[in-house]
Structure formats: C-alpha cells, structure tokens
Amino acid sequence: MNIISFPQRSEWKQLLARPVQEMAEIEQKVLPILQKVKLEGDAALREYAQKFDKIELNNFQVSQEEIDAAESQLSEELKEAIWQAYKNIYTFHEAQKQTPEVIETMAGVRCWRKSVGIQKVGFYIPGGTAPLFSTVLMLGIPAQIAECQERILCSPSNHPAIYYAAKLVGITKVFRIGGAQAIAAMAYGTETIPQVYKIFGPGNQYVTAAKQLMSKEGVAIDMPAGPSEVAVMADDSAVPSFVASDLLSQAEHGADSQVLLVSTSKKFVSAVNLAVSGQLNRLPRKDLATKAIENSKIILLESQQDCIDMLNEYAPEHLILAVENYNEVGEKIINAGSIFLGNYTPESCGDYASGTNHTLPTNGYARAYSGVSLDSFVKKITFQEITKQGILNIGRTVELMAEAESLEAHKRAVTLRMESLLN
C-alpha cells in the first residue's frame, strides 16, 4: 500500500479524490439499450440475452418450482446462517417503524404524518463471481416490513442462495435478466416484466448509468453508486492483522474498490503493511484484491483530530474506528455511510448479518445521502384536520399571507368558511 506521511491540508482534496468515471461515454452506450427495451419490450430482452450473455431466453420468469427447489441445494448450515441474518436484519429494520403522532399546532388544527409502502419496487442483483444473496435480504426485508405490494427481482444469476433468500423475503416475481436492459425493463415495463416505481440494487458501471438515466425519467432509485469503499482509522490499540483483513475484505470486491487507512502511528502502519502482504497471498481473489491494494493509500497524520477531519472530508461508505476511544471519535464523525466501532466489529458483519443495511452511499455521497433503510421503501403522507373553531383561529393568518402574495382565491377559500360560521 502507498504510504503518505503527514500531508498538508491543502493536499488532502487531491489525495482523497476518487477515480473519475467517464459517465458521459458510458451513458452513450447505455441509452440505445434503454430505448430499444422501451420500444420492443421482451423481444429486446431476448436479443440482449443472446448478445451479452450468450443464452437463449424464451421464458424470463423463474418458476416457483425452481425457487422451491433451491432450498434443497443448500447445506443446512448455510440455510441456518441465512435465517439468522434474516432475523437480525428484520429486527433492526422493524424497529424503524414510526407510529403516526397527531400534533395540535393550535386549538382546532391537527396535523400528522403516515408512512405508506411504495406500491411497486424492483431489485437488481448482479451475476458475476460473487452471488450477492445477502443483498436480497438487505433490500427485500425492509420492503417486506413496509408492505410494498409488488416486489420483483431481476438477476442473471441462478445461484440457489439468491432464490432461497428471495423466497424468505417474499419476492413476488423473479426474472433471469441482467445488465442495463434489466433496469430498463423494470423502469418501463414489458409484456412480461411489470413496471416499478423505485429500483434498488448494485451493479457494474452500465447498470449504474442505466439507473441514473432512469431517474431522469421519473423512476426513483436507491442512491447514486460507485465502487465499494472502506476507510479505517487506527491507533496502537488496534490489531494489525485485524485491520489488514478489513482492508482486504474490501479490496476483494474488485480492482476499483477504494481502500484507505489513516493513523498517527508509524509503527502500526508498518505492521499493517506487512500483514496485508502476508494475507493477500492466501486469498482466492488475490488478483482483484492486489489491483485494489496497489491503488490504495495509508495516510499518516499528526493528530487524532486530523484523522477525524480527513475522514469527514472523505465521507467513506464504510468507516472502521479501531481506536481506543472509538465512542468519542464516533460522535465526531458527520460524514459516513456506516460506522464500525472497535477491534471486534469488522465490516463483514455489517455486510451480512449484524442487522444494519449494507446498501450504502459511495463516492462521497455520504455527505448528503443515507444508506437504505425502512424509510427507503415508504412515502410519508401528511394529513391535517381543522375544526370549525380551528378555521376561526387560523383563518386570519392565512388571509393576510394569501393577500400579501396576491393570491385572492386562496384567501377566499378561508374567508367563505369563516363568514359561514360567523353569520
């Protein structure tokens, strides 16, 4: 890993810059795919399955029999692990429910807010070498709790754990399509695939571009996304081998994964670098992790406050605080997707089973975005109820404000009611 010692604050911005994605070029490749699916529906999906995945698809929908059979293809141990993760994630997200609270803002004027599940949501789970069945849990469970009526899943992967997780979270339909064309199918709807109102899930740069383009057409998406990333802040109380494993667990996602370590200890940094080299050689995904590690940084800083300031500027997706006073430091972090406290809280636990959601803002979006939660699957509708006495109490306020804005009809809507009561 590249060690940078005590950089000036004026250098931080450049040091922390993520690789620039050529989105304009990618969008130009994705746009024709979206338009073709919009115009030709299922026929376009069949054509792209043949072109990109080299498979002939006559029926996109995965049958209930296939989904049911997936369970028997998994070991009892893995099923128990998935079920334990399901329970933890469900418990954490169910606690996010809010009971409507009626607020009387003044006598006779009552206001409240109610959460309503988004009617139709779609999940995208990529194929590739890592079957992300954990993401099915992370997206499907809050949608289940929110009581979204239609929950569909598109994935080019036929891994049985994906189908098993889909059954657990009550996915209504599963389709075996991938890529930008899957995003277009969910956004526009085809003869086979229902249109949804919000799309969730990770994917490569083409899937990400497709989601962002669809958001311009009124289809909601979970959040802008980029390569996954972790930042670790560590001091001499941390365990070098633990921190090295955390850095590598992120690096093995892909060559473009972002990995950062900040510390005030030269001794600790040297120990981590040695541990990373030793552990890297034992990884099955060594080639991917090596490329990410080659582009990663260790930054030595003068003080703990400098580390905190740098991390808040970076706004990482995942942040591990392996420092002695981690609770105190955690309270000073204002920009991060999810924070992991202490030596025994690896990011892996949040990725799979602790209960928090692993769908998080990357690429600095943690400055303004939250990760996926129950709120991601609901709309908040406000209500108000005004009694006869209430309209008399609030009416003159509204009349004066409407008149000042030259909106006579607004004023009249109140005046007529007040006059009817006063007369």
Side-chain angles (χ1 to χ4, degrees), residues 62 66-75 78-79 82 125-134 136 153-167 174-176 352:
V62 179
E66 288 175 89
I67 293 170
D68 291 341
E71 187 172 348
S72 64
Q73 298 171 48
L74 302 175
S75 70
L78 177 56
K79 283 188 288 187
I82 293 172
I125 304 297
T129 56
L132 301 179
F133 59 86
S134 59
V136 180
L153 185 149
C154 289
S155 178
S157 174
N158 63 354
H159 196 284
I162 289 178
Y163 292 166
Y164 178 65
K167 185 176 179 180
V174 180
F175 300 96
R176 50 170 70 81
Y352 289 107

Side-chain angles (χ1 to χ4, degrees), residues 91-106:
T91 299
F92 182 73
H93 287 76
E94 187 179 37
Q96 296 167 20
K97 279 184 174 179
Q98 293 178 326
T99 303
E101 184 179 358
V102 179
I103 306 297
E104 190 164 48
T105 57
M106 64 190 303

Side-chain angles (χ1 to χ4, degrees), residues 53-79:
D53 302 322
K54 311 301 181 196
I55 55 172
E56 190 170 323
L57 282 182
N58 294 316
N59 185 13
F60 304 123
Q61 187 167 351
V62 179
S63 69
Q64 191 59 50
E65 290 74 18
E66 288 175 89
I67 293 170
D68 291 341
E71 187 172 348
S72 64
Q73 298 171 48
L74 302 175
S75 70
E76 289 302 317
E77 210 170 26
L78 177 56
K79 283 188 288 187

